[in-house]
């Protein structure tokens, strides 16, 4: 595995979420505005700045939103481009927005899948309320 030159923790400009967790700090602070704000820069501009050549090597990018990260329509093309460039990418998601996962996987080349990590935040109580989790304990 090549040495990682830099780590980027990136907040995706999305405050929309398909869950309504009682314990969510974003909701408690009134931050769930339901907005998905466009990226400030175009994909070609970002990729010029985030190229391996410009950054001095392979980097690790971690993306998370103050809502459901995969709601952002510009994220999948950015992630696919970063992976194609040779970087590693993590996306933190609640895992319930299937369309976002499908959109992402449609753009990521098969040879880049090993460099993509999807981190699922498990919202057990909320998923149980919705009937999306088994209510029996597993032993």
């Amino acid at each position: 595995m090549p040495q990682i030159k830099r780590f980027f923790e990136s907040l995706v400009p999305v405050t929309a979420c398909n869950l309504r967790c009682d314990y969510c700090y974003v909701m408690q602070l009134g931050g769930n505005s339901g907005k998905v704000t466009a990226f400030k820069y175009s994909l070609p501009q970002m990729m010029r700045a985030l190229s391996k050549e410009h950054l001095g090597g392979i980097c690790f990018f971690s993306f998370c939103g103050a809502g459901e990260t995969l709601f952002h329509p510009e994220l999948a093309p950015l992630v696919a481009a970063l992976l194609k460039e040779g970087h590693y990418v993590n996306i933190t998601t609640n895992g319930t927005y299937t369309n976002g996962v499908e959109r992402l996987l449609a753009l990521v080349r098969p040879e880049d899948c090993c460099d993509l990590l999807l981190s699922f935040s498990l919202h057990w109580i909320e998923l149980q309320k919705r009937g999306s989790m088994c209510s029996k304990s597993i032993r």
Side-chain angles (χ1 to χ4, degrees):
M1 174 189 242
Q3 183 176 351
I4 295 173
K5 186 73 174 177
R6 290 180 170 73
F7 173 79
F8 292 88
E9 180 70 36
S10 307
L11 180 63
V12 178
V14 57
T15 58
C17 189
N18 56 340
L19 300 179
R20 297 292 176 257
C21 304
D22 294 335
Y23 51 84
C24 178
Y25 67 90
V26 176
M27 294 272 290
Q28 291 173 8
L29 296 174
N32 189 357
S33 65
K35 291 184 181 176
V36 177
T37 306
F39 288 156
K40 185 175 179 177
Y41 300 101
S42 70
L43 183 58
Q45 287 175 302
M46 288 189 285
M47 288 314 301
R48 279 193 299 276
L50 301 175
S51 70
K52 286 190 298 188
E53 181 182 2
H54 188 257
L55 295 174
I58 294 172
C59 299
F60 188 100
F61 292 84
S62 184
F63 294 101
C64 188
E68 173 43 45
T69 310
L70 291 175
F71 276 180
H72 204 292
E74 296 174 87
L75 182 62
L78 173 59
V79 168
L82 289 168
L83 292 167
K84 188 175 181 182
E85 180 68 21
H87 297 302
Y88 298 101
V89 177
N90 172 70
I91 301 171
T92 302
T93 172
N94 67 29
T96 62
Y97 184 53
T98 312
N99 290 344
V101 175
E102 289 172 352
R103 181 174 54 230
L104 175 66
L105 295 179
L107 294 177
V108 173
R109 303 179 313 176
E111 60 266 31
D112 293 332
C113 285
C114 290
D115 298 333
L116 173 63
L117 173 67
L118 293 178
S119 299
F120 295 98
S121 52
L122 178 61
H123 299 280
W124 181 270
I125 296 168
E126 184 67 15
L127 294 173
Q128 272 191 319
K129 283 183 199 174
R130 294 168 167 248
S132 299
M133 291 291 292
C134 176
S135 59
K136 296 180 182 178
S137 64
I138 299 171
R139 292 183 190 235

